[in-house]
Amino acid sequence: MTIENLSSNKSFGGWHKQYSHYSKTLNCSMRFAIYLPPQASNGKKVPALYWLSGLTCTDENFMQKAGAHRMAAELGVAIIAPDTSPRGDDVADDEGYDLGKGAGFYVNATEAPWSKHYRMYDYVLNELPALIEDMFPVSDQRSISGHSMGGHGALVLALRNPERFQSVSAFSPISNPVNCPWGKKAFGAYLGKDTASWAEYDASLLMQKASKFVPALVDQGEADNFLTEQLKPEMLEAAAKQSGYPLELNRHEGYDHSYYFIASFIEEHLRFHAKYLNS
């Protein structure tokens, strides 16, 4: 597989790098960022945290704003941040910020015109880890995390594939997308009118019936403008109680939906994942 290095920056003794490659899953060129901690410099394989970003974001937001490199370097954990959606002139798009490019929602689209490119679920689950583990000193010990739309994606991927991930966490996830405006719009477009298929990508519905568990950590700001209408963490909490899922959900007074919130608690999330990645 051919990948092209776009940029390299030394950070806390490790390296942050951007790459592009052609994705057979998405039928387009994709970009991702990777932070390799100093422990990977001698070829030793390190475990990985996959980070999924939210609406309108790219691979750059988390790497530049979250302040995660210092702790990742200390813990010896690689961070991989893919783009949120397929890109390119021939990729279907929408005028709204919450559909199309920048809003892939980490699903496998089944409806035209989206199904040609929008298969972010398969990309994150299969193609990207295979590329990373083949091209870099990164092991198959994986955890996954994300923010907002990416928090939704991280939870869904871990809940549906507990054997693939050691742990999962999320900041301000879209917890019950089948019952919120963002989710209804995206799922209706990508998955069609049959709402039964939507349940496969709803973290609350998946957690409610889960029988195999991945340790889960969720942090939610109480001053988040999207809290009531879009995020609905209470639905995730209720689902965990019903199935006995090992979910730790923390609410934080005064914090909003921004990367200031993520930067404030990213150390706790990285330590959480490292505990399971290194066990």
Side-chain angles (χ1 to χ4, degrees), residues 62-105:
F62 179 80
M63 292 299 201
Q64 294 181 4
K65 296 179 179 181
H69 289 180
R70 179 185 64 81
M71 186 52 53
E74 178 181 320
L75 297 170
V77 174
I79 301 174
I80 296 95
D83 200 349
T84 59
S85 61
R87 310 275 181 172
D89 292 341
D90 64 338
V91 173
D93 200 9
D94 185 83
E95 293 182 357
Y97 75 95
D98 52 358
L99 186 67
K101 297 176 188 178
F105 268 84

Side-chain angles (χ1 to χ4, degrees), residues 2-42:
T2 301
I3 64 174
E4 179 185 358
N5 180 232
L6 303 176
S7 67
S8 299
N9 304 94
K10 195 164 188 179
S11 178
F12 293 97
W15 287 93
H16 167 264
K17 299 184 178 185
Q18 277 184 316
Y19 290 88
S20 67
H21 75 105
Y22 185 82
S23 167
K24 292 182 179 179
T25 302
L26 304 175
N27 297 305
C28 65
S29 180
M30 287 294 287
R31 191 175 73 185
F32 67 87
I34 182 169
Y35 177 71
L36 291 168
Q39 292 86 341
S41 61
N42 60 3

Side-chain angles (χ1 to χ4, degrees), residues 235-253:
M235 300 302 292
L236 195 66
E237 206 165 34
K241 288 180 180 178
Q242 184 166 336
S243 64
Y245 204 94
L247 169 68
E248 177 184 345
L249 196 155
N250 304 308
R251 291 176 169 82
H252 302 276
E253 182 180 356

Side-chain angles (χ1 to χ4, degrees), residues 78-143:
I79 301 174
I80 296 95
D83 200 349
T84 59
S85 61
R87 310 275 181 172
D89 292 341
D90 64 338
V91 173
D93 200 9
D94 185 83
E95 293 182 357
Y97 75 95
D98 52 358
L99 186 67
K101 297 176 188 178
F105 268 84
Y106 306 101
V107 303
N108 287 338
T110 57
E111 301 297 302
W114 312 102
S115 55
K116 181 180 179 181
H117 297 287
Y118 286 76
R119 301 185 62 83
M120 288 298 296
Y121 177 89
D122 278 354
Y123 176 72
V124 174
L125 180 64
N126 296 314
E127 185 177 16
L128 183 61
L131 183 157
I132 295 296
E133 291 160 22
D134 182 56
M135 303 295 293
F136 299 96
V138 173
S139 76
D140 61 1
Q141 292 293 103
R142 314 175 197 94
S143 290

Side-chain angles (χ1 to χ4, degrees), residues 152 155-156 159 174-175 177 201-208 236 239:
H152 137 77
L155 288 166
V156 167
L159 286 161
I174 304 172
S175 297
Y201 298 102
D202 187 292
S204 294
L205 297 179
L206 291 168
M207 188 171 284
Q208 183 178 348
L236 195 66

